[in-house]
Amino acid sequence: MKLPGVFSFRAHGAPRWGLALLMVPLQGCAGIGAPSFPLAGAYFPAWLICLFIGAVSAALLRLVFLILHVDGLLRYHLVTYLSMGTMIGLVGWLLLYG
């Protein structure tokens, strides 16, 4: 018995390989999960620690730049410190988990 309409694979004239073609991007998903580690009985994702490393390092860089009087020479403070924190967080990810 063939089911009509939306329940068949050829609904609205779509070929059968269309469904398989839509599932191709899902092939990159791994079943092992994201890297995480136990901290005080709970599992924290590794990216959260790298985010914390990046934020703390950006704040410390701002203090260093203020002491060295480099901060006044910067034009876009938010973008500069955000990008430096991002770079340090990504380098931390690469060194710790890469």
Side-chain angles (χ1 to χ4, degrees):
M1 178 176 158
K2 185 174 182 181
L3 298 173
V6 293
F7 296 109
S8 68
F9 285 106
R10 296 183 60 85
H12 306 293
R16 291 182 186 210
W17 53 266
L19 182 62
L21 189 62
L22 289 174
M23 291 185 184
V24 169
L26 297 177
Q27 296 300 319
C29 300
I32 57 174
S36 60
F37 53 92
L39 184 65
Y43 286 97
F44 284 93
W47 63 266
L48 196 60
I49 293 300
C50 293
L51 175 78
F52 181 73
I53 290 170
V56 169
S57 65
L60 290 176
L61 278 174
R62 177 162 165 76
L63 288 175
V64 169
F65 285 176
L66 283 171
I67 291 170
L68 296 175
H69 302 290
V70 178
D71 189 64
L73 301 173
L74 298 175
R75 193 166 203 158
Y76 303 106
H77 298 283
L78 178 64
V79 175
T80 303
Y81 293 118
L82 185 64
S83 62
M84 281 194 253
T86 302
M87 286 189 297
I88 292 173
L90 290 174
V91 167
W93 175 272
L94 183 65
L95 293 176
L96 294 174
Y97 304 104

